[in-house]
Amino acid sequence: MDNLFVALVHYPVVNRRQETIASALTNLDLHDIARACMTFGVRAFYVITPFPDQRDLARQIVRHWTEGAGGQLNPDRRQALEKIRIADTLEDVIGQIATERHEPVICVGTSAREGGQAPVTARQLRHRLTVTNDSHLLIFGTAWGLANELLSRCDLQLAPIQGSDTYNHLSVRSAVSIYLDRLTND
Ligand code: SAM
């Protein structure tokens, strides 16, 4: 899907006390989300962190699996990690996408909690993706979720993935895969 992008945000996110924090990168997040993006045809996967050392770490991981031994031993994984782009702010990512596609960039927030000024279902978003050429940036959080200051700036917010009962503590990796499947398959 040429007009679909994914972003994993490490700041601003919240901790268990709903305080705004910055979270550390998780190697597994980069691998699993890159593989999901490759599987479902996402144009690019942005890893966003304000910390230079964390961006360096992300670059090391990507370099190992795209140019280094990891990529030679596992070409499938290399293909997936080649989807990764590393950035320091959401604004930077929006600017890069706008420059790359010359289309409006629609930010779509996600959360396990209902909310957002423009909630959409996965089916509605899937329809948007097929009828407009706008770039859609699906934004996922880390830690205990995206801070409200970021969610409130999103143009749309995807309806939460509902479980069978009250327990709702999916990993971000699971949430990405579930949404991407719903956005690309019947
Ligand atoms: N309680 C947090 C919240 O409300 O988003 C869950 C944080 S989870 C560890 C990290 C990220 O995974 C969230 O920022 C969101 O992007 C995604 N996520 C987790 N569960 C989700 C759900 N049920 N529906 C939608 N997104 C979810």
Side-chain angles (χ1 to χ4, degrees):
M1 302 186 92
D2 220 31
N3 60 341
L4 181 61
F5 296 80
V6 164
L8 181 68
V9 166
H10 293 84
Y11 175 83
V13 292
V14 293
N15 62 14
R16 68 175 70 237
R17 290 183 298 280
Q18 295 303 301
E19 297 158 339
T20 298
I21 60 164
S23 66
L25 229 63
T26 306
N27 187 0
L28 203 50
D29 287 349
L30 272 60
H31 281 262
D32 282 9
I33 296 173
R35 292 163 75 175
C37 288
M38 186 70 205
T39 301
F40 292 105
V42 170
R43 188 178 173 117
F45 163 33
Y46 283 94
V47 176
I48 304 176
T49 173
F51 301 127
D53 64 326
Q54 293 281 293
R55 293 198 297 275
D56 289 345
L57 173 60
R59 285 190 196 95
Q60 280 173 28
I61 293 166
V62 172
R63 225 186 340 260
H64 173 76
W65 290 96
T66 56
E67 301 161 17
Q72 283 145 24
L73 288 171
N74 190 336
D76 294 337
R77 189 64 60 85
R78 183 185 71 243
Q79 259 194 302
L81 271 82
E82 283 170 345
K83 285 279 179 187
I84 293 179
R85 298 178 185 177
I86 299 156
D88 55 359
T89 65
L90 179 61
E91 287 67 27
D92 262 12
V93 171
I94 294 168
Q96 288 176 31
I97 294 173
T99 305
E100 180 176 326
R101 294 198 69 244
H102 308 295
E103 297 287 351
V105 180
I106 309 296
C107 288
V108 184
T110 64
S111 171
R113 303 180 304 276
E114 296 283 353
Q117 58 260 24
V120 286
T121 63
R123 183 183 297 274
Q124 289 166 334
L125 181 57
R126 182 161 160 233
H127 178 66
R128 277 184 66 105
L129 286 164
T130 53
V131 299
T132 76
N133 203 25
D134 294 352
S135 300
H136 289 73
L137 178 61
L138 216 41
I139 304 169
F140 293 89
T142 48
W144 272 257
L146 293 169
N148 285 334
E149 64 185 85
L150 190 150
L151 284 171
S152 61
R153 284 166 28 207
C154 290
D155 304 291
L156 304 170
Q157 186 164 324
L158 259 176
I161 297 162
Q162 298 293 353
S164 58
D165 200 342
T166 55
Y167 183 91
N168 191 344
H169 297 283
L170 287 171
S171 73
V172 64
R173 298 177 298 281
S174 299
V176 170
S177 294
I178 291 167
Y179 276 136
L180 290 184
D181 180 63
R182 291 181 179 174
L183 292 175
T184 52
N185 290 308
D186 277 330

